[in-house]
Amino acid sequence: MPPELDAIDRAVALLQAGELVAFPTETVYGLGADAANPAAVARIFTAKGRPADHPLIVHLPADSYLERWAREIPAVAWELAEAFWPGPLTLILKRAAAVPGAVTGGQDSVGLRVPAHPLALDLLRAYARAGGGLAGMCGVAAPSANRFGRISPTEAAHVRDELGDAVKLILDGGRCPVGIESTILDLTPGSALPPRLLRPGRITCEQIATVIGVLPEIADRQPGDRTPRVSGSLAAHYAPTTPLRLVPPGRLAEVIARLRQAGHRCAVLCYSQLPDQGASPDLRRLPGDPRGYASGLYAALRELDQAATDLILVEEIPATPAWAAVTDRLRRAACGADRGTDLQS
Ligand code: TXA
Ligand code: MG
């Protein structure tokens, strides 16, 4: 039997037994459990150190499973599923009666997506063939496979570093190609348009508009609003432990020089060619296009974090719609890692 098939079989058996399995998706690695089994779902929250009122995304083998999980599904949901699934788009819909509150954080809605990674699809389809867990619901709840508030894993080794023995099996599918979490769109108001964008991702508002004819409205969280409808929407999230600061492109070389002169060790994440930086071990250069940049972002942040410098300097990226998802992640990383550093410049 090919080794990957063997691993899928073991993963299916673990899920059916209510255990956790980490698996690659096209966005980031997920920490999966039988979404219809509240005890299995509880294990996810324990392993991640995540508050129990944060809802999870349920991963399905195909859009034909949507009606087991959602009710009053509006036509736009089917249109979006047709256009973007399998793929990095999560739809928030009204939950079906059978959906356990453990997976929705007690809300009347549920987050659903069909992931595009071949290993994720193999796992979900094999799971469905094997009965699909409790009540044959065939859904795998999976948040990103990191400790709560930290950077999402985009390689199997990251999952091992984050969760260690808490996860029985990690399916290794190499580097996740998209590199940042899925776009989340709230369709709970039904056919009332426009829907709300809860989290930007690879699928852009402009792409969504080409299908539904209208641009989503950007969810506007009030200052001080800590309700965790979308945990990634808390101001501090996706954060390295090293303080991180965004620096305008034109000022980066000067800020690096000044901080180094003052005796500080700083790591650098850039996309421009910087003069005079050479091949510093604490410098990562990402591609200058939003997709390429997103794809390498979390792995680069993780490596720079491990370099244990005083500060990670990140070259600010363009303020255009194409960069919206990356801007969102960098802003939160800067916010989460800024713990009163005295490294002002
Ligand atoms: O790309 C992704 O979406 C990855 C992969 C593994 O699929 N998953 C992921 O899961 O990022 P997680 O749990 O780290 O983030 C899911 C987000 C959370 O912020 C959660 O609050 C939101 O989805 N969410 C889930 N159900 C929701 C609901 N019913 N209403 C509002 N937000 C919801
Ligand atoms: Mg997450």
Side-chain angles (χ1 to χ4, degrees):
M1 196 187 305
E4 67 274 21
L5 253 187
D6 185 39
I8 296 259
D9 287 347
R10 282 189 294 138
V12 167
L14 285 167
L15 290 175
Q16 284 184 305
E19 300 285 351
L20 303 182
V21 173
F23 63 96
T25 79
E26 74 281 29
T27 59
V28 300
Y29 274 76
L31 179 61
D34 178 1
N37 179 342
V41 170
R43 289 207 168 96
I44 293 180
F45 289 97
T46 307
K48 275 186 65 97
R50 181 176 185 164
D53 59 352
H54 285 242
L56 303 176
I57 293 173
V58 177
H59 298 69
L60 302 176
D63 60 6
S64 52
Y65 292 80
L66 214 45
E67 278 151 318
R68 298 186 195 195
W69 291 88
R71 66 176 202 274
E72 298 167 39
I73 302 168
V76 287
W78 294 112
E79 288 161 18
L80 288 165
E82 169 77 26
F84 298 117
W85 284 354
L89 175 68
T90 295
L91 300 179
I92 308 295
L93 294 164
K94 289 183 184 162
R95 71 154 143 162
V99 179
V103 92
T104 68
Q107 302 182 88
D108 190 37
S109 57
V110 61
L112 300 164
R113 88 177 186 98
V114 178
H117 195 289
L119 259 188
L121 280 175
D122 282 352
L123 174 65
L124 290 162
R125 288 170 184 160
Y127 186 54
R129 280 196 304 273
L134 283 192
M137 291 281 281
C138 303
V140 173
S144 51
N146 51 282
R147 305 271 310 158
F148 181 62
R150 311 250 54 106
I151 304 170
S152 296
T154 52
E155 294 173 22
H158 300 163
V159 180
R160 218 163 287 122
D161 291 348
E162 287 277 330
L163 300 173
D165 295 338
V167 48
K168 287 237 159 77
L169 176 65
I170 303 170
L171 293 178
D172 189 344
R175 172 81 70 97
C176 302
V178 173
I180 55 170
E181 306 79 357
S182 60
T183 305
I184 303 183
L185 196 64
D186 182 6
L187 294 179
T188 50
S191 49
L193 294 174
R196 284 195 326 147
L197 181 81
L198 300 184
R199 180 172 73 185
R202 160 73 78 92
I203 310 264
T204 62
C205 287
E206 289 70 22
Q207 284 176 284
I208 290 169
T210 62
V211 175
I212 63 174
V214 49
L215 275 173
E217 170 188 297
I218 313 285
D220 186 20
R221 289 170 59 81
Q222 300 305 310
D225 177 3
R226 305 283 298 173
T227 26
R229 264 185 76 78
V230 179
S231 65
S233 73
L234 296 179
H237 214 83
Y238 313 118
T241 51
T242 312
L244 181 151
R245 221 174 66 233
L246 301 174
V247 181
R251 289 197 54 215
L252 193 54
E254 161 213 332
V255 171
I256 295 168
R258 184 135 41 87
L259 286 169
R260 287 191 176 151
Q261 235 162 34
H264 296 301
R265 282 193 64 210
C266 46
V268 178
L269 182 62
C270 62
Y271 57 92
S272 305
Q273 186 79 55
L274 293 178
D276 309 326
Q277 294 306 314
S280 156
D282 299 338
L283 181 133
R284 291 287 176 284
R285 191 153 157 260
L286 292 171
D289 67 286
R291 288 183 170 208
Y293 189 103
S295 173
L297 174 62
Y298 286 158
L301 281 180
R302 216 168 255 279
E303 284 166 14
L304 294 177
D305 202 16
Q306 278 161 5
T309 59
D310 303 320
L311 184 67
I312 301 173
L313 298 172
V314 179
E315 179 179 19
E316 268 177 16
I317 53 174
T320 58
W323 286 89
V326 173
T327 301
D328 171 77
R329 302 312 189 279
L330 283 179
R331 265 210 338 262
R332 295 180 205 290
C335 182
D338 179 16
R339 282 183 274 286
T341 169
D342 60 352
L343 302 175
Q344 302 303 326
S345 67

